Amino acid sequence: MFVSENLNTNEKGHLTIGGIDTTELAAEYGTPLYVMDEQLIRKHCRRFKDGIDKFYGGKGLVCFASKAFSCKEMCKVVASEGLGLDAVSAGELYTAYKADFPMEKIGFHGNNKTNEELELAVDLGVGHIIVDNISELERLEKIAAEKGKRPHIMFRIKPGIDAHTHSFVKTGQIDSKFGFALETGEAFDAVKHALSCKNVELVGLHCHIGSQIFDIDPFEEAARVMLNFIADIKEKLGYAVPGLNLGGGFGIKYLNSDNPQPFEVFMERVSAAVKKCCEDLNLDQPYIYIEPGRSIVAPAGITLYTVGARKEIPNIRTYVSIDGGMCDNPRYILYSSEYEAVVANKANEERSEKVTIAGKCCESGDLIGENMPLQHAESGDIIAVCATGAYNYSMSSNYNRIQKPAVVFVNDGTSRVVVKRETLDDIIRNDV
Ligand SMILES: *Cc1c(COP(=O)(O)O)cnc(C)c1O
């Protein structure tokens, strides 16, 4: 009935998440409120991990892409499930460090890491640094030499796969700010350089072909392109690259019309493609990494809002305004992303209207969505926007000096705050 498996209704006709009445959560913690179901997050971690065990003999690591949702408690949950982490900034690294995350299970990403960030990554002893470009490699070599360390690195490769279209196409020359190009020989030259360099150790190659991808074919194709490159390196440079990182990007259900493949099918098909390709190329099977972000957390989260104004503009549209908006969920204004919404205190009623849910910021584009089927919503009602667990809190801002909402984890009938709601004093804390 609802897009995410953890949502239901109770005997009062209220929406529940992980078995808890969402209207009670709104009353207890206030709105706007991010609510995440810890059990579902853990279940998703396990399904990916079990997929590697079952279909690839356990020779791999699932690294949660922390940019989708990062806070100390999330790092602790991910660590306790035995997953690794992908971090893309000093802030994400520091969050993991402060949560006692095992540093050797972290991959450090970014297309323009600063020297300070590289130094932090080397000092903290992250598992590997995914190097994006030659300037970064040169800077990292210098930093490593100064510190007397030999960090493990991977290279981010552009495999030339465009996964944004339904039938993927190989592009001749890819236009992307991320990574080394294969077809120009740039990637090969970088590998050659790294192998001659005594201050870094090349342990793998990485690719990430996009996000919210429903097709499995482009992932299989990316694996084949990368393995062919590994075979080429082995033949010409005599080095067997031990690791292959296939990135993240697995699609999730935002609307009932979305139809993502189960993670297990993805793991089975990609594992089979890697095994088959290794056999054909006479390569040892690499240790694989995957980096799911959205698929682990998005379906586990909802955002609760209180309805304020309702504006019916005859023959045009009805605006239902909420006490949040683009500050806590900028995905509509950024990408026109669509969501399912429910009036939490009327969740069993029919969604009889189509409305525009508007935020409270001073921007006309500050909407949660247009033409959204919804129960009749009036001032004081609680609206739940579903599948907001990824790229909502992590992309939130203080535009209009609006305080960021709290994040609450629910788990087996209990709830707890994992990120506190910002106060007005938080808003001015850096003002001098
Ligand atoms: C964003 C990103 C991910 C995660 O993507 P999702 O779509 O959230 O799964 C993984 N790896 C890299 C390098 C990324 O940039």
Side-chain angles (χ1 to χ4, degrees), residues 65 67 86 109 156 206 208 211 248-249 291-294 391:
K67 71 170 189 244
D86 140 14
H109 273 284
R156 176 152 184 172
H206 170 278
H208 170 72
S211 201
E291 301 172 324
R294 186 192 312 276
Y391 304 109

Side-chain angles (χ1 to χ4, degrees), residues 109 130 154-157 204-208 226 245 247 291:
H109 273 284
I130 294 107
M154 293 193 190
F155 281 126
R156 176 152 184 172
I157 306 295
L205 297 174
H206 170 278
C207 67
H208 170 72
M226 297 294 281
N245 189 327
E291 301 172 324

Side-chain angles (χ1 to χ4, degrees), residues 156 159-164 206-211 213 215-220 222 246-249:
R156 176 152 184 172
I161 309 254
D162 179 357
H164 293 287
H206 170 278
C207 67
H208 170 72
I209 56 174
S211 201
I213 302 166
D215 250 3
I216 299 176
D217 302 14
F219 290 103
E220 294 176 316
L246 294 167

Side-chain angles (χ1 to χ4, degrees), residues 127-132 137 140 150-157 180 187-206 229-230 233-234 237 239-244 289:
H128 54 267
I129 296 172
I130 294 107
V131 173
D132 179 275
L137 180 62
L140 179 61
R150 191 159 191 260
H152 288 182
I153 64 163
M154 293 193 190
F155 281 126
R156 176 152 184 172
I157 306 295
F180 293 90
F188 185 84
D189 290 345
V191 169
K192 206 168 155 185
H193 179 117
L195 292 178
S196 72
C197 164
K198 58 180 192 305
N199 300 312
V200 295
E201 181 174 348
L202 180 68
V203 297
L205 297 174
H206 170 278
F229 183 43
I230 289 176
I233 293 166
K234 190 177 162 205
L237 302 172
Y239 181 67
V241 177
L244 174 60
Y289 299 81

Side-chain angles (χ1 to χ4, degrees), residues 100-176:
D100 297 320
F101 198 89
M103 287 293 134
E104 69 282 2
K105 282 188 171 174
I106 295 185
F108 188 45
H109 273 284
N111 70 299
N112 196 24
K113 305 176 191 75
T114 64
N115 286 349
E116 290 74 20
E117 286 175 320
L118 290 172
E119 284 181 25
L120 182 66
V122 173
D123 286 341
L124 293 178
V126 303
H128 54 267
I129 296 172
I130 294 107
V131 173
D132 179 275
N133 55 73
I134 281 292
S135 137
E136 181 186 336
L137 180 62
E138 289 166 352
R139 288 185 289 124
L140 179 61
E141 274 185 271
K142 202 159 157 262
I143 289 167
E146 278 163 16
K147 292 181 183 290
K149 298 246 175 93
R150 191 159 191 260
H152 288 182
I153 64 163
M154 293 193 190
F155 281 126
R156 176 152 184 172
I157 306 295
K158 299 186 231 194
I161 309 254
D162 179 357
H164 293 287
T165 51
H166 231 53
S167 64
F168 62 91
V169 284
K170 274 191 183 179
T171 50
Q173 178 63 46
I174 347 142
D175 176 9
S176 164

